[in-house]
Amino acid sequence: MDFSDFISNAIDQDRGRTLEITNPFTGERTGMRFTIAGPDSDANRRARLEMADELAEIARPDGTVTAEMREMARINCLARLVLGWDLKEGGKPIPFEHRHVVRVLRASSAIQQQVDAFAGDRRNFAPPSPSNGQC
């Protein structure tokens, strides 16, 4: 592996990988799918920068930020890593928009935790090779 492999993998991570949400109680697949950008992607870098800007903007004059505000900024950042989804509510597709992603992540800590864990695990974004079974 040389440096160009790292660069090409980071570019590939911007295409995202599919996470299928599992039922937090049974571990069964739910059919809900999210496309997530990887930890080395440009989307991830931009999301972190936007979170820093958001935190700076909402800071009080003394520089403090409430826990609630930090949590909202974190969820916004995580939502920016979601590149697409196959998600229904009441049998109807939920339009893919940032505000809907934020709503879903805020409503379900189980989904939020799965998205966060998946997005941060480089193994989910490994380059295709015969040894890891990806095509």
Side-chain angles (χ1 to χ4, degrees), residues 13-52:
Q13 288 185 30
D14 270 311
R15 289 188 263 267
R17 297 290 191 281
T18 301
L19 160 68
E20 183 166 358
I21 300 297
T22 57
N23 181 313
F25 305 107
T26 66
E28 294 175 8
R29 295 177 176 199
T30 64
M32 295 184 283
R33 291 180 181 82
F34 288 68
T35 303
I36 310 293
D40 302 311
S41 66
D42 193 49
N44 191 298
R45 182 189 63 79
R46 285 190 317 268
R48 289 189 319 267
L49 291 172
E50 288 180 43
M51 181 175 70

Side-chain angles (χ1 to χ4, degrees), residues 91-108:
K92 296 181 181 180
I94 300 173
F96 180 71
E97 297 174 16
H98 180 76
R99 66 188 176 102
H100 293 301
V101 179
V102 168
R103 180 178 68 86
V104 167
L105 294 176
R106 286 189 74 176
S108 172

Side-chain angles (χ1 to χ4, degrees), residues 3-119:
F3 183 63
S4 63
D5 295 322
F6 283 92
I7 299 299
S8 63
N9 180 253
I11 292 168
D12 183 52
Q13 288 185 30
D14 270 311
R15 289 188 263 267
R17 297 290 191 281
T18 301
L19 160 68
E20 183 166 358
I21 300 297
T22 57
N23 181 313
F25 305 107
T26 66
E28 294 175 8
R29 295 177 176 199
T30 64
M32 295 184 283
R33 291 180 181 82
F34 288 68
T35 303
I36 310 293
D40 302 311
S41 66
D42 193 49
N44 191 298
R45 182 189 63 79
R46 285 190 317 268
R48 289 189 319 267
L49 291 172
E50 288 180 43
M51 181 175 70
D53 286 344
E54 186 177 343
L55 288 168
E57 188 175 302
I58 62 177
R60 296 176 179 156
D62 66 356
T64 60
V65 178
T66 67
E68 185 176 339
M69 290 180 200
R70 280 192 306 273
E71 177 66 1
M72 192 61 220
R74 187 188 67 77
I75 290 172
N76 270 326
C77 181
L78 187 58
R80 289 181 187 104
L81 301 181
V82 178
L83 305 175
W85 65 15
D86 180 7
L87 195 61
K88 294 182 175 120
E89 184 173 29
K92 296 181 181 180
I94 300 173
F96 180 71
E97 297 174 16
H98 180 76
R99 66 188 176 102
H100 293 301
V101 179
V102 168
R103 180 178 68 86
V104 167
L105 294 176
R106 286 189 74 176
S108 172
S109 61
I111 291 175
Q112 186 185 131
Q113 289 168 352
Q114 289 180 55
V115 169
D116 197 11
F118 186 90

